[in-house]
């Protein structure tokens, strides 16, 4: 609704016939009259959704000039800032659209000190504002390096090792071997630990976030590793073991069904005597789906925050 007000305002979008980019829009984002816009979307399921609607999609903003770029706030404030910086360098007009929970007010307060904000619309818990092209490169972040790892803003557990993944990695059996899949591999921490096992013959990293997968490529240099930008809930393969720390959020909403979909697909990908090794937050109700999908489900020692499971012999329905 805010964007509707923008298109009807005096900011002259109607006079802009050149290239338009919409950066990181949710799947339900209303493009209104911008039906020929280029969608920038690094999240694989969302990219597929936009392509199915007839839009052209890219993972990152191509190096060219745009009449208009619309930046949709992400959960990461620094990632959004980086997207705004890039848009401001390449577009004549930049629009920033977001909700208070995603930090839109903080972006507005910062940017109005640095640029002339030509317009601002608020409604409910959302805000939308726009400004002309400006060099904002001083605001851009640099990749964060720690231990032997590199991450960038916006990826899961950026700048630190996720404690659940660390717990799972320490609990993997010494005899881990064969063909392995890491579903939802993120920036590659679990995979890096899996590859310390000499009997692992191959490892497929399946990750929906292209930004995280690019970090994984920097963090892992092993010929046994194969990197796949894809949806872990529909990925098809054949493995001796699947190892995973499945996500349970879509945006800011907790959705245990997402974790259940990971478990169901892990079972489909495992060979008859295969094992699933996974970690989950204590409050997540995964036991029922694990027992539906596997003949043997064993909870192995975790801690006060996380539970660990070894599930064996996938059921064939």
């Amino acid at each position: 609704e805010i964007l509707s007000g923008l298109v009807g305002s005096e900011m002259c979008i109607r006079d802009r016939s050149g290239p338009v980019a919409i950066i990181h829009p949710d799947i339900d984002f209303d493009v209104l009259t911008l039906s020929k816009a280029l969608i920038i979307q690094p999240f694989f399921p969302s990219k597929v959704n936009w392509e199915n609607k007839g839009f052209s999609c890219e993972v990152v903003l191509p190096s060219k000039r745009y009449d208009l770029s619309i930046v949709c706030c992400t959960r990461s404030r620094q990632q959004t800032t980086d997207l705004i910086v890039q848009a401001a360098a390449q577009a004549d007009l930049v629009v920033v659209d977001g909700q208070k929970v995603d930090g839109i007010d903080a972006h507005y307060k910062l940017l109005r000190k640095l640029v002339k904000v030509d317009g601002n619309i608020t409604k409910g818990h959302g805000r939308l504002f726009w400004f002309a092209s400006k060099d904002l490169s001083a605001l851009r972040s640099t990749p964060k390096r720690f231990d032997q790892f590199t991450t960038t803003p916006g990826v899961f557990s950026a700048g630190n090792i996720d404690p659940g993944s660390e717990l799972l990695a320490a609990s993997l059996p010494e005899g881990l071997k064969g063909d392995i899949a890491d579903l939802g591999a993120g920036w590659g921490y679990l995979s890096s630990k899996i590859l310390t096992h000499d009997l692992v013959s191959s490892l497929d990293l399946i990750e929906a976030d292209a930004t995280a997968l690019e970090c994984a490529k920097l963090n892992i240099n092993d010929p046994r590793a194969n990197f796949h930008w894809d949806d872990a809930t529909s990925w098809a393969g054949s493995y001796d073991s699947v190892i995973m720390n499945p996500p349970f959020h879509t945006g800011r909403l907790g959705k245990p069904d997402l974790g259940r979909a990971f478990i169901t697909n892990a079972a489909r990908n495992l060979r008859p005597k295969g094992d699933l090794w996974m970690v989950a937050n204590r409050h997540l109700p995964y036991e029922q789906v694990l027992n539906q999908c596997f003949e043997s489900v064993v909870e192995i020692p975790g801690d006060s925050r996380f539970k660990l499971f070894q599930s064996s012999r996938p059921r064939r329905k």
Side-chain angles (χ1 to χ4, degrees):
E1 291 181 358
I2 295 179
L3 188 57
S4 299
L6 171 67
V7 173
S9 75
E10 295 303 317
M11 61 172 290
C12 301
I13 279 185
R14 61 184 179 274
D15 296 331
R16 297 177 181 275
S17 57
V20 174
I22 305 177
I23 303 172
H24 289 215
D26 291 336
I27 59 174
D28 57 354
F29 185 84
D30 189 352
V31 298
L32 297 170
T33 62
L34 305 175
S35 59
K36 295 183 179 180
L38 174 67
I39 303 296
I40 309 303
Q41 182 51 262
F43 187 60
F44 188 85
S46 297
K47 170 253 191 187
V48 171
N49 182 281
W50 283 109
E51 287 179 337
N52 289 340
K53 292 179 179 180
F55 287 85
S56 296
C57 294
E58 296 284 352
V59 173
V60 297
L61 189 67
S63 296
K64 59 183 284 188
R65 198 71 195 169
Y66 299 87
D67 270 14
L68 169 69
S69 285
I70 300 173
V71 178
C72 302
C73 288
T74 73
R75 292 182 63 189
S76 166
R77 187 171 297 179
Q78 186 57 59
Q79 181 186 43
T80 301
T81 298
D82 289 344
L83 297 174
I84 293 171
V85 170
Q86 187 176 12
Q90 295 182 226
D92 295 338
L93 186 69
V94 179
V95 176
V96 184
D97 182 17
Q99 299 293 307
K100 288 184 178 180
V101 294
D102 292 322
I104 184 65
D105 289 345
H107 292 297
Y108 176 66
K109 290 175 183 177
L110 172 63
L111 286 166
R112 69 179 180 176
K113 298 177 183 177
L114 303 174
V115 301
K116 179 181 179 295
V117 173
D118 295 321
N120 171 52
I121 299 173
T122 59
K123 188 169 184 179
H125 298 290
R127 181 188 294 272
L128 182 148
F129 62 93
W130 57 94
F131 60 93
S133 178
K134 178 80 172 182
D135 180 6
L136 298 172
S137 56
L139 299 178
R140 191 152 199 172
S141 68
T142 57
K144 185 165 185 178
R145 295 177 173 86
F146 57 100
D147 296 338
Q148 73 270 35
F149 303 114
T150 297
T151 64
T152 58
V155 303
F156 172 70
S157 195
N160 59 78
I161 297 169
D162 174 66
S165 294
E166 188 172 30
L167 183 66
L168 177 58
S171 302
L172 294 176
E174 291 184 5
L176 187 69
K177 63 181 181 180
D179 300 318
I180 314 292
D182 182 353
L183 295 185
W187 52 258
Y189 172 76
L190 259 178
S191 289
S192 72
K193 298 303 179 182
I194 292 167
L195 289 166
T196 63
H197 296 261
D198 293 338
L199 296 179
V200 170
S201 52
S202 71
L203 173 63
D204 283 351
L205 292 80
I206 300 95
E207 173 53 46
D209 182 355
T211 307
L213 194 65
E214 288 305 308
C215 291
K217 292 176 183 178
L218 295 174
N219 293 328
I220 294 174
N221 181 21
D222 191 303
R224 295 172 293 170
N226 308 290
F227 303 89
H228 305 278
W229 182 44
D230 214 306
D231 185 348
T233 66
S234 58
W235 175 259
S238 177
Y239 303 102
D240 296 297
S241 294
V242 170
I243 298 168
M244 65 186 193
N245 179 2
F248 62 95
H249 282 87
T250 301
R252 290 187 177 273
L253 300 177
K255 291 190 175 181
D257 284 348
L258 182 58
R260 295 187 186 103
F262 267 69
I263 292 168
T264 301
N265 199 42
R268 285 195 293 261
N269 277 265
L270 282 167
R271 293 166 183 162
K273 295 183 180 180
D275 294 309
L276 168 65
W277 299 84
M278 68 170 284
V279 61
N281 291 59
R282 282 266 164 217
H283 70 279
L284 293 171
Y286 290 152
E287 286 79 359
Q288 182 178 2
V289 68
L290 284 168
N291 282 293
Q292 289 172 346
C293 292
F294 292 91
E295 294 182 12
S296 171
V297 177
V298 177
E299 183 172 350
I300 56 180
D303 62 20
S304 60
R305 291 184 295 170
F306 300 102
K307 49 189 175 182
L308 301 171
F309 294 99
Q310 178 194 7
S311 303
S312 305
R313 301 190 303 278
R315 299 182 189 272
R316 304 304 184 194
K317 299 181 180 178

